Amino acid sequence: MAAAGDGPWLDDAAGRLVRPFTVSNGRTRPTIALDLLSHVMATGATPLGYLGPEHQQALDLCRAPVSVAEVAAHLKLPAVVTKVLLSDLVDCGALTTKPPEFHHNPTDRALLEAVLDGLRRQL
């Protein structure tokens, strides 16, 4: 039986009924460089041509700035498939993208220790 709100794409017992790469027509490379921390946001422009239901779901998620990783999590799709979908939407002018901004050194020892401490508390 399908989970609430998921329609025919997911089944509680079988999982995803449509293979992720069919969503991107077998494409595994986005047309633009997207980082998992890149932010995407809808431009308000109506995409021309047919886009699949996953494209529309991604576009709906991007009403406010959101990271590529968050979109992938909400769509329950692999990051590479999500990047292909998002790049399609950028190509047709429906989304804009902004690279991640690092205000600190991502390899800062204090930051890494804080993350490790947080993970230990969760376990």
Side-chain angles (χ1 to χ4, degrees):
M1 211 173 220
D6 289 326
W9 302 108
L10 294 176
D11 182 278
D12 288 337
R16 181 171 278 281
L17 299 177
V18 175
R19 293 283 179 216
F21 291 100
T22 59
V23 171
S24 62
N25 292 324
R27 295 174 293 144
T28 59
R29 294 178 192 247
T31 57
I32 61 169
L34 288 170
D35 186 277
L36 286 176
L37 298 177
S38 296
H39 280 86
V40 288
M41 184 173 170
T43 62
T46 304
L48 299 174
Y50 173 77
L51 295 176
E54 289 83 4
H55 285 92
Q56 187 58 53
Q57 289 173 333
L59 193 55
D60 291 343
L61 291 168
C62 298
R63 290 185 188 133
V66 63
S67 72
V68 171
E70 290 176 85
V71 175
H74 284 288
L75 294 178
K76 299 178 184 165
L77 287 172
V80 68
V81 174
T82 302
K83 287 179 181 182
V84 170
L85 295 176
L86 294 174
S87 71
D88 290 346
L89 292 166
V90 170
D91 290 344
C92 72
L95 284 183
T96 186
T97 182
K98 181 179 168 191
E101 293 180 16
F102 291 106
H103 298 289
H104 60 282
N105 179 358
T107 57
D108 178 36
R109 183 176 177 92
L111 173 65
L112 294 174
E113 287 176 354
V115 170
L116 183 59
D117 288 342
L119 289 172
R120 284 183 179 145
R121 281 193 296 271
Q122 295 296 319
L123 300 175

